[in-house]
């Protein structure tokens, strides 16, 4: 095991770090959310806005988070304490730890559905809705089945994190990420070679300026945050296991590139198949768990391809979930002096319990809503629309003004690399990114309130 002078584990290779960070970034957000918001948000035009958001907002924040982590070699709370002692800035780290906790609690519920669907596909129940289905898995709207799968998903996550940074995270991503890329490639080829596939490509990427509303621009920016795992210290925590030899601007570019590639390819795996069998591509959030099983039921060898797809989705979910748990565990290990194994198990079990209501929101607790949303969507909304943007905004202000953009850039550029950040990065960090995030956050919140309370605000 590689330890640095503070006895902290370190990634054993640059590729290991990039795969771990890409594993965190590439998740349900890429395969489940990105395709449908692109398909319904203006296609190619949306993609352009999204790419701008990824490179001019997401990328600088990713560099900043990784840099703060590497500089301080601490968890998010410890990191802010180290750079700004005796100030309230540690609360930004605390918000990150809280976000990790909340996001993981519902992320694991969806990860559990995904695991269950692997078995549904193998059991052939996409086609028949058989007894096998009822007995072992049940529906998302069942009471117990999804909770059991949520538990299984958390158990896998806990198992990996308790094994440590190198033996757990790095080892698992080095096995899982190549499998993920191969699965995605096979599914894209299958989907694109179906008769009638081209209509799906046309739908996915057709440039439609009329769909490009303020709302879809906000969606693009919010999605860039979630998909890159920003605003809650995940990249900060992974950066804290990075050696001084590595160049951050280069590594972050690889992570952003891989994440974007997978998101775009996921759309090519999904829409051509949806069109080839004449299904509705605009099902929104139900696309993955409702429309796709129906598509696989029609497709020749659908059980096999369904199995591959949900395996892909589960792998993507696990490699992201571990980064969420790692944020909280790193805090418990560094600051509360717990051992890694007990921190992983205790925190993991608490997360499991906290996630149960979001699972039950589709069955016995379906009457409980907040601003018209079910419980899982509520957890998702609070983290995505409030916690992550707020965390990202405060991190930028901290790095830009408190620690100083020059210090941050200098620290980021340490190590060998072909790409360095400079003045443009400082401007992004100090002015453009905070303003953009602020607007997105306020409008996102107002939009939800306006829709729910029917205020009839102009503009929305
Ligand atoms: N980036 C993940 C996805 O796209 O599914 C979600 C995520 C993981 C968000 C880790 C935040 C995080 F810290």
């Amino acid at each position: 095991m590689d330890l640095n002078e503070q006895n902290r584990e370190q990634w054993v290779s640059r590729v290991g770090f990039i795969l771990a960070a890409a594993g965190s970034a590439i998740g349900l957000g890429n395969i489940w959310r990105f395709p449908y918001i692109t398909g319904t948000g203006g296609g190619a035009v949306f993609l352009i806005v999204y790419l701008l958001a990824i490179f001019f907002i997401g990328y600088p924040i990713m560099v900043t988070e990784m840099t703060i982590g590497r500089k301080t070699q601490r968890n998010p709370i410890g990191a802010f304490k180290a750079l700004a002692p005796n100030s309230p800035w540690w609360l930004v780290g605390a918000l990150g730890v809280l976000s990790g906790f909340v996001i993981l609690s519902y992320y694991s519920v969806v990860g559990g559905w995904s695991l269950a669907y692997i078995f549904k596909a193998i059991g052939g129940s996409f086609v028949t809705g058989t007894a096998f289905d009822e007995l072992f898995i049940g529906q998302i709207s069942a009471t117990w089945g999804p909770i059991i799968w949520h538990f299984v998903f958390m158990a896998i996550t806990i198992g990996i994190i308790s094994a440590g940074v190198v033996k757990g995270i790095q080892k698992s991503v080095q096995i899982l990420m190549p499998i993920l890329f191969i699965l995605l490639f096979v599914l894209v080829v299958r989907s694109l070679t179906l008769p009638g596939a081209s209509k799906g490509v046309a739908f996915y990427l057709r440039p439609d300026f009329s769909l490009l509303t303020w709302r879809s621009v906000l969606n693009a920016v919010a999605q860039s945050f979630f998909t890159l795992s920003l605003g809650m210290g995940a990249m900060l925590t992974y950066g804290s296991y990075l050696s001084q030899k590595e160049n951050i601007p280069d590594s972050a570019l690889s992570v952003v590139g891989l994440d974007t590639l997978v998101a775009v390819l996921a759309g090519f795996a999904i829409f051509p198949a949806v069109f080839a069998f004449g299904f509705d591509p605009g099902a929104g959030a139900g696309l993955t768990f409702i429309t796709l099983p129906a598509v696989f039921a029609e497709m020749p060898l659908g059980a096999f391809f369904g199995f591959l797809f949900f395996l892909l989705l589960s792998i993507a979910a696990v490699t992201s979930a571990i980064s969420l748990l790692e944020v909280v565990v790193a805090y418990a290990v560094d600051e509360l002096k717990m051992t890694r194994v007990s921190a992983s198990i205790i925190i993991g079990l608490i997360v499991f319990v906290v996630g149960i209501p979001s699972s039950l929101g589709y069955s016995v607790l379906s009457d409980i809503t907040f601003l018209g949303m079910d419980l899982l969507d509520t957890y998702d909304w609070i983290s995505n629309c409030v916690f992550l943007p707020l965390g990202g905004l405060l991190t930028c202000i901290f790095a830009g003004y408190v620690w100083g953009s020059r210090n941050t850039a200098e620290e980021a550029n340490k190590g060998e690399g072909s790409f360095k950040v400079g003045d443009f990065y400082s401007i992004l960090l100090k002015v453009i990114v905070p303003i953009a995030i602020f607007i997105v956050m306020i409008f996102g919140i107002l939009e939800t309130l306006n829709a729910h309370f029917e205020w009839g605000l102009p503009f929305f």
Side-chain angles (χ1 to χ4, degrees):
M1 193 187 327
D2 258 23
L3 295 178
N4 68 0
E5 62 286 355
Q6 297 165 21
N7 251 357
R8 193 176 182 80
E9 271 194 90
Q10 291 202 329
W11 308 107
V12 257
S13 68
R14 181 176 139 82
V15 174
F17 168 65
I18 292 175
L19 285 180
S24 167
I26 297 167
L28 296 169
N30 301 58
I31 298 170
W32 164 63
R33 191 158 21 207
F34 177 82
Y36 82 75
I37 59 172
T38 304
T40 52
V45 209
F46 179 88
L47 192 61
I48 294 170
V49 179
Y50 175 79
L51 290 176
L52 291 174
I54 287 281
F55 285 98
F56 293 108
I57 300 177
Y59 177 72
I61 303 184
M62 182 176 290
V63 169
T64 307
E65 282 201 22
M66 287 177 175
T67 305
I68 295 178
R70 183 177 68 180
K71 168 77 183 168
T72 58
Q73 308 272 306
R74 299 241 163 77
N75 67 90
I77 296 184
F80 283 96
K81 278 190 183 158
L83 289 177
N86 305 321
S87 78
W89 281 101
W90 64 271
L91 287 167
V92 181
L95 179 67
V97 174
L98 177 70
S99 311
F101 195 89
V102 175
I103 296 178
L104 183 56
S105 77
Y106 72 84
Y107 203 83
S108 165
V109 171
V110 183
W113 297 346
S114 182
L115 286 178
Y117 274 58
I118 296 179
F119 293 89
K120 270 180 182 268
I122 304 176
S125 57
F126 286 162
V127 185
T128 52
T130 54
F132 175 90
D133 189 13
E134 289 312 314
L135 197 59
F136 292 98
I137 294 128
Q139 306 294 330
I140 286 169
S141 57
T143 310
W144 290 106
I147 293 182
I148 295 169
W149 285 105
H150 165 45
F151 182 80
V152 174
F153 187 89
M154 274 315 298
I156 297 172
T157 310
I158 292 170
I160 296 174
I161 289 304
S162 60
V165 175
V166 175
K167 288 210 182 103
I169 304 178
Q170 176 155 345
K171 201 165 156 201
S172 61
V173 295
Q174 277 176 340
I175 299 169
L176 294 174
M177 294 309 285
I179 300 179
L180 181 144
F181 292 122
I182 295 169
L183 288 174
L184 185 60
F185 179 74
V186 172
L187 287 161
V188 168
V189 171
R190 168 67 294 198
S191 181
L192 284 176
T193 52
L194 286 164
S198 57
K199 275 183 279 163
V201 178
F203 168 81
Y204 181 36
L205 294 182
R206 81 200 176 296
D208 184 345
F209 281 91
S210 70
L211 290 176
L212 191 73
T213 54
W214 257 104
R215 187 194 176 123
S216 57
V217 171
L218 297 180
N219 270 341
V221 181
Q223 170 69 3
S224 73
F225 252 80
F226 187 79
T227 191
L228 294 176
S229 307
L230 299 174
M232 50 149 290
M235 291 299 167
L236 187 159
T237 307
Y238 274 14
S240 76
Y241 304 117
L242 195 57
S243 97
Q244 303 288 338
K245 291 196 301 268
E246 308 298 345
N247 170 283
I248 290 179
D250 262 353
S251 305
L253 207 56
S254 307
V255 175
V256 167
L258 285 172
D259 183 78
T260 307
L261 183 70
V262 170
V264 173
L265 287 180
F268 283 117
I270 293 174
F271 287 115
V274 170
F275 271 85
F277 294 100
F279 284 93
D280 173 17
L287 189 64
T288 306
F289 292 101
I290 299 167
T291 310
L292 280 186
V295 171
F296 289 122
E298 300 275 320
M299 188 187 282
L301 289 181
F304 174 66
F305 288 108
F307 161 73
L308 296 188
F309 178 81
F310 286 102
L311 185 62
L312 165 75
L313 192 64
S314 301
I315 290 178
V318 167
T319 57
S320 297
I322 55 179
S323 70
L324 290 160
L325 184 58
E326 179 60 28
V327 171
V328 193
V329 166
Y331 161 72
V333 170
D334 288 355
E335 311 287 314
L336 309 179
K337 309 291 173 221
M338 288 170 78
T339 65
R340 173 170 280 275
V341 173
S342 54
S344 311
I345 296 175
I346 295 171
I347 295 165
L349 288 177
I350 301 176
V351 169
F352 165 68
V353 173
V354 173
I356 290 176
S358 62
S359 178
L360 293 178
Y362 295 96
S363 54
V364 289
L365 299 183
S366 60
D367 285 344
I368 303 182
T369 56
F370 174 75
L371 300 177
M373 295 177 280
D374 62 45
L375 283 168
L376 192 143
D377 285 345
T378 305
Y379 283 24
D380 186 44
W381 184 80
I382 292 175
S383 26
N384 257 329
C385 291
V386 187
F387 288 178
L388 297 189
L390 191 60
L393 176 69
L394 293 171
T395 304
C396 276
I397 293 178
F398 177 81
Y401 296 95
V402 181
W403 191 29
S405 58
R406 242 167 238 279
N407 288 338
T408 316
E410 208 172 284
E411 183 65 33
N413 288 334
K414 275 188 184 157
E416 272 169 48
S418 47
F419 187 56
K420 308 255 173 204
V421 289
D423 290 345
F424 185 51
Y425 166 76
S426 297
I427 297 172
L428 285 175
L429 199 62
K430 292 175 93 148
V431 187
I432 298 176
V433 178
I435 293 177
I437 303 177
F438 184 74
I439 294 175
V440 167
M441 191 169 81
I442 298 302
F443 278 86
I445 295 172
L446 276 180
E447 185 195 321
T448 308
L449 296 177
N450 181 52
H452 182 66
F453 295 109
E454 297 177 3
W455 287 342
L457 292 180
F459 182 78
F460 288 98

